[in-house]
Every structure is written in structure tokens, then in C-alpha cells.
Amino acid sequence: MPFATEINPITGTLDETTADLLVLPVRTGDDGPAVVEGVAASGLNRALPAPLTDLFTHYSLTGKAGEAVWFPVSREQGLVRLALLGVGSGSPDDLRKAGAALSRAARGRERVAFAWPADIAGDDAATAFAEGVLLASYTFTMKTTEPAADQRPAPVVDVVGAAPADALTRGTVLAEATALARDLINTPSLTKDPSWMAERAREVAARSGLAVKVWDEKDLENEGFGAILAVGQGSSRPPRLVQVSYTPENPTSHIVLVGKGITFDTGGLSLKPTDNMALMKTDMSGSAIVLGVLSALAAVSAPVRVTGLLALAENAFSGDATRIGDVLTTYSGTTVEVLNTDAEGRLVLADALGYAVAELDADVLVDVATLTGAAKVALGTGIGALYSTDDALAEDLLAAGAAAGEPLWRMPLTEEYVETTGSRVADLANIGTRKEFGPAGATDAALFLRAFTGDLPWAHLDIAGPGRSTKESGILTKGGTAFATRTLLRWLADA
């Protein structure tokens, strides 16, 4: 398992377990907080230091999702801790928050037992709870020392009662796909070049029964991927394009996912400031997310054929780097004038999208990228920007994002702004060229990408805001978040 924690559904009651941390769910209600009926066994009640209502008052508990207090109680095997954990209304979002809070409270414990709220119907809450527990326990470290004992995730979380085991397993699958993407995102760029990413894709494909194809720099040149080559030509570590394919029996449609894979972004000759560059090992998040999604499609029984394209390059500066004013010929034959070498993600995506339209007989295109700072300015770090040419596709992705706790906001493809993508010497420019429309950077980028999607239904996820986290919060840890992995898996599983 990629996680140090295992979720283990068991029957019985909380007072029958041997866990050293016992967790009771506390719900909100019109009459104040209350422990869900049926989970507080009589043996455990006798161990409480005071009646539950008095404990609620003493700790000022409301039952809000993620709220937690804990204290020692006496059992036959000695003192253990009992936690009162807020689960709010019992909705999937609240259970996800509760699971994350439980995971953090459980650090340093050997075994945790959580009494599943018996009145929760359906599977979505159990799936979300598993996601919360596991993703909050995620760690990425290259330290040579072990973490302090009180910071180690609990090895086992027993979910006691009638929680649906299949739903917990599904949550584990979704969390594991996200963890795979996070591991790739958080790997330092000293290790993580385009060739390394291609090897990881081969490994994932071998484990998951997927087909894989890799283009090296010679293949890219021979087949006309001029934009990917141009972005990568300033680096001593050449670019790659990777295709990973999942084909179920009797697929209902063919969906192509395209991921931006800039394994490090200096900005090229349009050099980034140092503070901005410090985060740029995560600029290949889109490709990591696509690979994470492909790794789990069989496990979630996705009924659609899915092809993932990882457009991989390192954007460096050298005597060989692309210059301002250079004109590139993309895979589709469209020419692009480069007016800013730091607007490179849309260039590698353009080649991959053009290839998908020309060669893959796709029904739907979706790309995902940490693309523009403008999207982060518009929506902050908690919401991803969604652009789409198809209303039904947009609604499906919005619903999947809401279910995953990865909110998206649909942004406009403003037709009046199309002029800003024009160039005086080429078909397109890679940044906006008209000042009267203001700094519409995220929309400029989306309109640029749309030019490479043919007439296919297409959606673009700009996750520059929520793709990175600077602190531990809820299901997030510092570093890459792999935002949109669970959204895309839910969408594809229900397609």
C-alpha cells in the first residue's frame, strides 16, 4: 500500500475493540450535538468520565465536521484515549473532513477504532470518509531519519459497525490514485526529468494492465511535434510524449485526457523570479494527475475507453532555448509566435491536443494543467477553473468535482477575446496581444487551447490555484495536491 494507514471495516461495537484510540461520532442537530444512536455501547458509557451531554458542554462541542476532543478513559487493558469527533450532518463532505481530522488526531497511536454512524445511508459518505483518513495521512519525505513517534500515522483504522466495505475500498482506490500523482508531483526535479516520467508511466502501465507508447526527441522531430520540442530545446534533458491507454470490454465512448508535464519551469528566457520558481517542480501536475487517473480506471470499473497523453518537457534557458519572437509549427500545422517563453504549458498541450484530434478518434477531450497565475488570482487556492465548449460535459465535471470535494467554477470562453490570441506573423500568439481586454490571462490561454481541439467536446481544467498547498489542512499536505484526480475518476466511472 502507498499509505502507512490501512482502513479495516469490522463488525461489532466500539467497546469490544482493542484499539488505543476510540472515536465516537458527534452529529449536529436542532437540539445541539448528539452521539449517533446505536454507537455508544453500554460498556463504553461506563468508562466515560461524565455523561456525554456534560462532556459536550465542558468542551463546547457543536458537532461541526472535523471538530475533535479526546481524553483518557479506563478499560480492562488500562488507559486508552476516547475522542469525540464531529461529523456534522453526516454528508459526504462532512465525513471527508471528519476522516481527515481523525487521521491527524490518530498520529502516534497504534490502532484506532471509529464507530460508523449507523443512520448514514448510501455509499458516498463511506467513500469520502476513507479518502479523508488516507489523504490526510499522506506524507512525502526524503529524510534519512524516521519521523517522531507522535507524528507517525496510525497503522490501522478500524471502522466499526455497518459501514459499507465496498465503499471504503472505493475510497481507498481514489486516495491511492491521488497519492501516486502526489508522489510524482513532489519528487524533486533533479530526479524528475521527462525521461524519468516516461519510465514511471511504463511502470504504472505494467502494474495496471495498460498499453503505453513513448516518443523520444527523435520521434517527436520526425512526427512534427514542433511545440513540445521547442519548449524542451533549452534543456540538456530532452522532452517526451507518453500515451497510456485503458480499454475495457465494450467501451461506450473514447475520452482523451491530456496533462501538462513541465518537469521544471524556469520560465525559459522569460525568466521567472526566484520565489515563483521555487514551486516549479510541481508544474507537471497535470501529467501526474492523468497518470494517476489511468492507474485506477480498472479498479473503479470505468466503462469508457480512456487515452492519457503526458506532454513532458523541461523549460530551461540556454543558448539553445526558444527565443522571443520565434515561430513554431505545431503538430496540427498551426503556427505560433512565442511572445513569452514562460507561457510554455499551452504549447506542449497544443501539440498533444492536435495529435488527439488527428489520430485518436476521440469523442471527448479534457486537459488538466497548472496553467495560469490568472486563474489563481480569479478563484484563489480552493477552486479550479473550468472552461468548456460543451454544456453537458461541463455540468458532469462540476458535479464530479462537488462529489469529490474538489470544487470547480465554470469560466467564460468570451468570444470577443479571441482577437487577443492573434499574431501579426503567425496563426496564433502564445500570450494575449490586445491590451483593451485587460489581463484576461486564464481566458486567453483557454481560447488558445480551444484552437487545437477541432469540433470535439472539450474541457480545460486550470488548477494553478488548488494544485499546490503551502500548509497542512484537511486532506491536504504541503506540496502538490493532485487536485482533480478524484474528480476525473468519479466522472469517468459514471460516464
Side-chain angles (χ1 to χ4, degrees), residues 255-261 285-287 289-290 307-309 311 345-346 348-350 352-354 356 364-372 385-389 393 397 408 413 442 445-453 457-463 483-484 488 491:
I255 295 171
V256 175
L257 304 179
V258 180
K260 174 186 171 183
S285 292
S287 62
I289 289 162
V290 169
T307 300
L309 295 174
R346 68 199 69 181
V348 299
L349 291 174
L353 289 167
V364 176
L365 295 177
V366 176
D367 73 76
V368 57
T370 48
L371 202 64
T372 67
L386 165 65
Y387 292 87
S388 183
T389 56
L393 172 60
L397 287 169
L408 300 168
L413 288 164
L447 290 168
F448 176 90
L449 292 176
R450 187 181 67 173
F452 297 89
T453 62
W458 161 74
H460 161 57
L461 306 181
D462 189 337
I463 61 164
F483 181 97
L488 291 171
W491 169 59

Side-chain angles (χ1 to χ4, degrees), residues 141-153:
T141 181
M142 298 178 70
K143 292 182 178 180
T144 57
T145 56
E146 292 292 326
D150 62 355
Q151 292 302 306
R152 294 173 189 161

Side-chain angles (χ1 to χ4, degrees), residues 174-445:
L174 295 170
E176 287 176 346
T178 305
L180 167 62
R182 286 185 182 179
D183 282 347
L184 295 170
I185 295 165
N186 290 326
T187 297
S189 295
L190 175 65
T191 298
K192 178 178 60 187
D193 65 1
S195 178
W196 183 89
M197 279 291 294
E199 288 304 311
R200 303 294 78 72
R202 286 191 175 103
E203 292 172 0
V204 170
R207 289 198 305 267
S208 307
L210 307 171
V212 65
K213 178 181 179 181
V214 176
W215 287 259
D216 64 17
E217 65 272 28
K218 292 182 179 178
D219 299 324
L220 293 170
E221 182 176 7
N222 291 338
E223 298 187 30
F225 291 92
I228 294 176
L229 284 167
V231 172
Q233 71 187 38
S235 173
S236 62
R237 307 196 290 181
R240 295 287 186 269
L241 176 66
V242 179
Q243 177 176 308
V244 185
S245 303
Y246 163 81
T247 307
E249 292 186 12
N250 304 313
T252 56
S253 61
H254 182 201
I255 295 171
V256 175
L257 304 179
V258 180
K260 174 186 171 183
I262 303 301
T263 55
F264 191 74
D265 184 16
T266 67
L269 295 181
S270 303
L271 191 65
K272 288 181 182 291
T274 300
D275 288 347
N276 293 355
M277 206 186 301
L279 300 173
M280 286 302 108
K281 73 177 182 182
T282 69
D283 208 24
M284 39 61 70
S285 292
S287 62
I289 289 162
V290 169
L291 189 55
V293 168
L294 266 291
S295 75
L297 289 173
V300 299
S301 302
V304 291
R305 178 185 170 200
V306 181
T307 300
L309 295 174
L310 319 182
L312 304 166
E314 183 174 74
N315 188 25
F317 59 92
S318 71
D320 294 324
T322 295
R323 295 160 291 275
I324 308 302
D326 283 357
V327 174
L328 317 178
T329 301
T330 64
Y331 184 89
S332 63
T334 300
T335 57
V336 177
E337 182 184 15
V338 178
L339 297 179
N340 188 319
T341 62
D342 196 22
E344 83 300 325
R346 68 199 69 181
L347 295 176
V348 299
L349 291 174
D351 261 358
L353 289 167
Y355 168 77
V357 170
E359 307 294 341
L360 294 183
D361 193 26
D363 296 306
V364 176
L365 295 177
V366 176
D367 73 76
V368 57
T370 48
L371 202 64
T372 67
K376 181 178 178 180
V377 170
L379 297 174
T381 59
I383 302 173
L386 165 65
Y387 292 87
S388 183
T389 56
D390 186 271
D391 290 343
L393 172 60
E395 288 302 317
D396 288 345
L397 287 169
L398 289 168
E406 296 177 324
L408 300 168
W409 189 267
R410 190 173 183 186
M411 304 285 276
L413 288 164
T414 307
E415 295 302 326
E416 288 80 2
Y417 293 178
V418 170
E419 294 179 34
T420 198
T421 63
S423 162
R424 290 184 299 131
V425 298
D427 297 322
L428 296 170
N430 77 324
I431 59 170
T433 57
R434 298 285 297 274
K435 303 300 183 185
E436 63 265 36
F437 298 124
T443 300
D444 290 346

Side-chain angles (χ1 to χ4, degrees), residues 97-148:
K97 292 176 185 176
L102 182 151
S103 186
R104 298 188 190 284
R107 288 177 179 173
R109 317 310 300 181
E110 290 301 318
R111 195 175 193 104
V112 179
F114 173 70
W116 183 252
D119 62 344
I120 291 180
D123 292 347
D124 291 345
T127 296
F129 176 77
E131 290 174 317
V133 169
L134 293 175
L135 290 174
S137 74
Y138 170 85
T139 56
F140 181 89
T141 181
M142 298 178 70
K143 292 182 178 180
T144 57
T145 56
E146 292 292 326

Side-chain angles (χ1 to χ4, degrees), residues 44-84:
L44 187 58
N45 279 331
R46 288 194 295 271
L48 292 174
L52 281 169
T53 53
D54 291 348
L55 293 172
F56 296 157
T57 300
H58 178 76
Y59 289 107
S60 301
L61 291 177
T62 66
K64 178 182 176 181
E67 179 184 69
V69 298
W70 49 90
F71 42 81
V73 295
S74 178
R75 305 184 76 194
E76 290 183 3
Q77 63 268 41
L79 285 178
V80 298
R81 286 183 178 271
L82 174 69
L84 301 177

